[in-house]
mmCIF file of all heavy atoms in Angstrom:
data_model
loop_
_atom_site.group_PDB
_atom_site.id
_atom_site.type_symbol
_atom_site.label_atom_id
_atom_site.label_comp_id
_atom_site.label_asym_id
_atom_site.label_seq_id
_atom_site.Cartn_x
_atom_site.Cartn_y
_atom_site.Cartn_z
ATOM 1 N N ALA Y 3 0.833 -1.198 -0.003
ATOM 2 C CA ALA Y 3 -0.003 0.000 0.004
ATOM 3 C C ALA Y 3 0.863 1.253 0.006
ATOM 4 O O ALA Y 3 0.544 2.229 -0.668
ATOM 5 C CB ALA Y 3 -0.920 0.008 1.225
ATOM 6 N N GLU Y 4 2.000 1.221 0.731
ATOM 7 C CA GLU Y 4 2.865 2.395 0.844
ATOM 8 C C GLU Y 4 4.242 1.967 1.333
ATOM 9 O O GLU Y 4 4.354 1.026 2.106
ATOM 10 C CB GLU Y 4 2.256 3.377 1.861
ATOM 11 C CG GLU Y 4 3.112 4.601 2.121
ATOM 12 C CD GLU Y 4 2.585 5.452 3.272
ATOM 13 O OE1 GLU Y 4 2.119 4.911 4.282
ATOM 14 O OE2 GLU Y 4 2.678 6.675 3.133
ATOM 15 N N VAL Y 5 5.257 2.683 0.875
ATOM 16 C CA VAL Y 5 6.616 2.468 1.371
ATOM 17 C C VAL Y 5 7.166 3.849 1.683
ATOM 18 O O VAL Y 5 7.025 4.798 0.891
ATOM 19 C CB VAL Y 5 7.521 1.784 0.317
ATOM 20 C CG1 VAL Y 5 8.894 1.500 0.876
ATOM 21 C CG2 VAL Y 5 6.883 0.500 -0.183
ATOM 22 N N ARG Y 6 7.791 3.972 2.848
ATOM 23 C CA ARG Y 6 8.363 5.284 3.202
ATOM 24 C C ARG Y 6 9.484 5.095 4.211
ATOM 25 O O ARG Y 6 9.600 4.036 4.821
ATOM 26 C CB ARG Y 6 7.304 6.210 3.778
ATOM 27 C CG ARG Y 6 6.690 5.733 5.085
ATOM 28 C CD ARG Y 6 5.593 6.678 5.541
ATOM 29 N NE ARG Y 6 5.001 6.223 6.766
ATOM 30 C CZ ARG Y 6 5.407 6.544 7.986
ATOM 31 N NH1 ARG Y 6 6.467 7.295 8.162
ATOM 32 N NH2 ARG Y 6 4.781 6.069 9.047
ATOM 33 N N TYR Y 7 10.287 6.137 4.337
ATOM 34 C CA TYR Y 7 11.265 6.123 5.410
ATOM 35 C C TYR Y 7 10.492 6.281 6.699
ATOM 36 O O TYR Y 7 9.533 7.057 6.775
ATOM 37 C CB TYR Y 7 12.306 7.220 5.236
ATOM 38 C CG TYR Y 7 13.298 6.896 4.133
ATOM 39 C CD1 TYR Y 7 13.252 7.571 2.927
ATOM 40 C CD2 TYR Y 7 14.225 5.898 4.309
ATOM 41 C CE1 TYR Y 7 14.136 7.268 1.923
ATOM 42 C CE2 TYR Y 7 15.121 5.573 3.305
ATOM 43 C CZ TYR Y 7 15.079 6.273 2.109
ATOM 44 O OH TYR Y 7 15.965 5.960 1.118
ATOM 45 N N CYS Y 8 10.894 5.548 7.694
ATOM 46 C CA CYS Y 8 10.157 5.496 8.938
ATOM 47 C C CYS Y 8 10.186 6.818 9.669
ATOM 48 O O CYS Y 8 11.224 7.453 9.774
ATOM 49 C CB CYS Y 8 10.759 4.405 9.828
ATOM 50 S SG CYS Y 8 9.782 4.045 11.266
ATOM 51 N N GLY Y 9 9.037 7.248 10.156
ATOM 52 C CA GLY Y 9 8.969 8.409 11.017
ATOM 53 C C GLY Y 9 9.394 7.998 12.408
ATOM 54 O O GLY Y 9 8.644 7.309 13.105
ATOM 55 N N LEU Y 10 10.582 8.360 12.784
ATOM 56 C CA LEU Y 10 11.111 7.964 14.084
ATOM 57 C C LEU Y 10 10.723 8.966 15.157
ATOM 58 O O LEU Y 10 10.363 10.111 14.867
ATOM 59 C CB LEU Y 10 12.640 7.842 14.020
ATOM 60 C CG LEU Y 10 13.165 6.790 13.029
ATOM 61 C CD1 LEU Y 10 14.673 6.832 12.970
ATOM 62 C CD2 LEU Y 10 12.700 5.400 13.446
ATOM 63 N N ASP Y 11 10.817 8.558 16.404
ATOM 64 C CA ASP Y 11 10.602 9.433 17.536
ATOM 65 C C ASP Y 11 11.443 10.698 17.398
ATOM 66 O O ASP Y 11 12.553 10.657 16.861
ATOM 67 C CB ASP Y 11 11.022 8.638 18.807
ATOM 68 C CG ASP Y 11 10.778 9.405 20.068
ATOM 69 O OD1 ASP Y 11 11.473 10.399 20.285
ATOM 70 O OD2 ASP Y 11 9.891 8.974 20.844
ATOM 71 N N ASP Y 12 10.946 11.798 17.877
ATOM 72 C CA ASP Y 12 11.666 13.070 17.739
ATOM 73 C C ASP Y 12 13.071 13.035 18.325
ATOM 74 O O ASP Y 12 13.942 13.792 17.909
ATOM 75 C CB ASP Y 12 10.876 14.208 18.412
ATOM 76 C CG ASP Y 12 9.617 14.556 17.636
ATOM 77 O OD1 ASP Y 12 9.552 14.247 16.427
ATOM 78 O OD2 ASP Y 12 8.693 15.112 18.252
ATOM 79 N N ALA Y 13 13.298 12.169 19.294
ATOM 80 C CA ALA Y 13 14.605 12.072 19.922
ATOM 81 C C ALA Y 13 15.614 11.352 19.044
ATOM 82 O O ALA Y 13 16.813 11.447 19.247
ATOM 83 C CB ALA Y 13 14.505 11.371 21.262
ATOM 84 N N GLU Y 14 15.131 10.609 18.050
ATOM 85 C CA GLU Y 14 16.009 9.859 17.158
ATOM 86 C C GLU Y 14 16.240 10.614 15.862
ATOM 87 O O GLU Y 14 15.302 11.160 15.275
ATOM 88 C CB GLU Y 14 15.396 8.494 16.812
ATOM 89 C CG GLU Y 14 15.260 7.554 17.990
ATOM 90 C CD GLU Y 14 14.667 6.224 17.558
ATOM 91 O OE1 GLU Y 14 15.471 5.329 17.194
ATOM 92 O OE2 GLU Y 14 13.439 6.115 17.576
ATOM 93 N N GLU Y 15 17.491 10.662 15.423
ATOM 94 C CA GLU Y 15 17.818 11.316 14.155
ATOM 95 C C GLU Y 15 17.478 10.373 13.002
ATOM 96 O O GLU Y 15 17.860 9.203 13.017
ATOM 97 C CB GLU Y 15 19.291 11.666 14.128
ATOM 98 C CG GLU Y 15 19.737 12.380 12.871
ATOM 99 C CD GLU Y 15 21.218 12.664 12.834
ATOM 100 O OE1 GLU Y 15 21.913 12.340 13.813
ATOM 101 O OE2 GLU Y 15 21.667 13.191 11.835
ATOM 102 N N GLN Y 16 16.753 10.869 12.002
ATOM 103 C CA GLN Y 16 16.409 10.055 10.836
ATOM 104 C C GLN Y 16 17.614 10.020 9.895
ATOM 105 O O GLN Y 16 18.007 11.025 9.344
ATOM 106 C CB GLN Y 16 15.194 10.621 10.103
ATOM 107 C CG GLN Y 16 14.859 9.914 8.806
ATOM 108 C CD GLN Y 16 14.638 8.413 8.905
ATOM 109 O OE1 GLN Y 16 15.567 7.633 8.880
ATOM 110 N NE2 GLN Y 16 13.405 8.015 9.019
ATOM 111 N N LEU Y 17 18.212 8.864 9.777
ATOM 112 C CA LEU Y 17 19.357 8.674 8.873
ATOM 113 C C LEU Y 17 18.952 7.921 7.624
ATOM 114 O O LEU Y 17 19.806 7.468 6.882
ATOM 115 C CB LEU Y 17 20.493 7.950 9.603
ATOM 116 C CG LEU Y 17 21.039 8.675 10.825
ATOM 117 C CD1 LEU Y 17 22.090 7.814 11.526
ATOM 118 C CD2 LEU Y 17 21.632 10.009 10.444
ATOM 119 N N PHE Y 18 17.653 7.785 7.416
ATOM 120 C CA PHE Y 18 17.145 7.076 6.239
ATOM 121 C C PHE Y 18 17.646 5.646 6.173
ATOM 122 O O PHE Y 18 17.919 5.120 5.112
ATOM 123 C CB PHE Y 18 17.435 7.863 4.969
ATOM 124 C CG PHE Y 18 16.839 9.231 4.997
ATOM 125 C CD1 PHE Y 18 17.602 10.352 5.282
ATOM 126 C CD2 PHE Y 18 15.493 9.392 4.781
ATOM 127 C CE1 PHE Y 18 17.029 11.606 5.342
ATOM 128 C CE2 PHE Y 18 14.899 10.656 4.852
ATOM 129 C CZ PHE Y 18 15.687 11.759 5.133
ATOM 130 N N ASN Y 19 17.767 5.033 7.339
ATOM 131 C CA ASN Y 19 18.168 3.635 7.418
ATOM 132 C C ASN Y 19 17.051 2.750 7.970
ATOM 133 O O ASN Y 19 17.292 1.604 8.324
ATOM 134 C CB ASN Y 19 19.433 3.481 8.263
ATOM 135 C CG ASN Y 19 20.650 3.956 7.522
ATOM 136 O OD1 ASN Y 19 20.678 4.016 6.297
ATOM 137 N ND2 ASN Y 19 21.692 4.297 8.254
ATOM 138 N N VAL Y 20 15.842 3.302 8.092
ATOM 139 C CA VAL Y 20 14.688 2.542 8.541
ATOM 140 C C VAL Y 20 13.582 2.744 7.509
ATOM 141 O O VAL Y 20 13.148 3.869 7.260
ATOM 142 C CB VAL Y 20 14.197 2.992 9.932
ATOM 143 C CG1 VAL Y 20 12.983 2.167 10.357
ATOM 144 C CG2 VAL Y 20 15.304 2.877 10.964
ATOM 145 N N VAL Y 21 13.145 1.653 6.886
ATOM 146 C CA VAL Y 21 12.106 1.722 5.853
ATOM 147 C C VAL Y 21 10.889 0.931 6.324
ATOM 148 O O VAL Y 21 11.021 -0.208 6.776
ATOM 149 C CB VAL Y 21 12.617 1.136 4.503
ATOM 150 C CG1 VAL Y 21 11.485 1.083 3.479
ATOM 151 C CG2 VAL Y 21 13.777 1.970 3.985
ATOM 152 N N SER Y 22 9.716 1.560 6.242
ATOM 153 C CA SER Y 22 8.467 0.910 6.622
ATOM 154 C C SER Y 22 7.668 0.586 5.378
ATOM 155 O O SER Y 22 7.483 1.452 4.519
ATOM 156 C CB SER Y 22 7.634 1.821 7.527
ATOM 157 O OG SER Y 22 8.233 1.916 8.793
ATOM 158 N N VAL Y 23 7.187 -0.642 5.317
ATOM 159 C CA VAL Y 23 6.326 -1.085 4.226
ATOM 160 C C VAL Y 23 4.928 -1.296 4.801
ATOM 161 O O VAL Y 23 4.751 -2.120 5.707
ATOM 162 C CB VAL Y 23 6.843 -2.385 3.582
ATOM 163 C CG1 VAL Y 23 5.909 -2.861 2.479
ATOM 164 C CG2 VAL Y 23 8.271 -2.196 3.052
ATOM 165 N N ARG Y 24 3.969 -0.559 4.311
ATOM 166 C CA ARG Y 24 2.587 -0.704 4.727
ATOM 167 C C ARG Y 24 1.934 -1.650 3.724
ATOM 168 O O ARG Y 24 1.965 -1.418 2.515
ATOM 169 C CB ARG Y 24 1.882 0.660 4.711
ATOM 170 C CG ARG Y 24 0.452 0.649 5.082
ATOM 171 C CD ARG Y 24 0.129 0.425 6.541
ATOM 172 N NE ARG Y 24 0.926 1.216 7.443
ATOM 173 C CZ ARG Y 24 1.238 0.818 8.671
ATOM 174 N NH1 ARG Y 24 0.825 -0.345 9.122
ATOM 175 N NH2 ARG Y 24 1.965 1.566 9.459
ATOM 176 N N THR Y 25 1.370 -2.751 4.233
ATOM 177 C CA THR Y 25 0.751 -3.754 3.361
ATOM 178 C C THR Y 25 -0.757 -3.517 3.262
ATOM 179 O O THR Y 25 -1.358 -2.877 4.117
ATOM 180 C CB THR Y 25 1.033 -5.166 3.887
ATOM 181 O OG1 THR Y 25 0.523 -5.283 5.228
ATOM 182 C CG2 THR Y 25 2.538 -5.452 3.885
ATOM 183 N N ARG Y 26 -1.339 -4.036 2.200
ATOM 184 C CA ARG Y 26 -2.790 -3.857 1.977
ATOM 185 C C ARG Y 26 -3.618 -4.708 2.949
ATOM 186 O O ARG Y 26 -4.736 -4.362 3.285
ATOM 187 C CB ARG Y 26 -3.153 -4.221 0.553
ATOM 188 C CG ARG Y 26 -2.537 -3.281 -0.477
ATOM 189 C CD ARG Y 26 -3.092 -3.522 -1.872
ATOM 190 N NE ARG Y 26 -2.332 -2.803 -2.861
ATOM 191 C CZ ARG Y 26 -2.421 -1.490 -3.086
ATOM 192 N NH1 ARG Y 26 -3.224 -0.767 -2.343
ATOM 193 N NH2 ARG Y 26 -1.689 -0.905 -4.015
ATOM 194 N N GLU Y 27 -3.068 -5.831 3.364
ATOM 195 C CA GLU Y 27 -3.756 -6.741 4.294
ATOM 196 C C GLU Y 27 -2.913 -6.862 5.549
ATOM 197 O O GLU Y 27 -1.748 -6.451 5.587
ATOM 198 C CB GLU Y 27 -3.965 -8.102 3.633
ATOM 199 C CG GLU Y 27 -4.865 -8.040 2.416
ATOM 200 C CD GLU Y 27 -5.100 -9.400 1.789
ATOM 201 O OE1 GLU Y 27 -4.732 -10.421 2.393
ATOM 202 O OE2 GLU Y 27 -5.675 -9.436 0.686
ATOM 203 N N ALA Y 28 -3.481 -7.458 6.591
ATOM 204 C CA ALA Y 28 -2.757 -7.643 7.852
ATOM 205 C C ALA Y 28 -1.412 -8.342 7.586
ATOM 206 O O ALA Y 28 -1.330 -9.272 6.787
ATOM 207 C CB ALA Y 28 -3.609 -8.453 8.831
#
């Protein structure tokens, strides 16, 4: 459904090393 760099907690620096894949089903 969607792929994006993970939105990390504000305390963590986003280094674009975490990728989240949102699937259409569970």
Side-chain angles (χ1 to χ4, degrees):
E4 176 188 39
V5 184
R6 64 183 179 89
Y7 286 108
C8 190
L10 299 176
D11 183 291
D12 290 338
E14 294 181 89
E15 181 182 359
Q16 174 56 275
L17 299 176
F18 301 101
N19 286 338
V20 180
V21 174
S22 288
V23 178
R24 179 73 46 210
T25 58
R26 294 189 190 284
E27 297 182 10

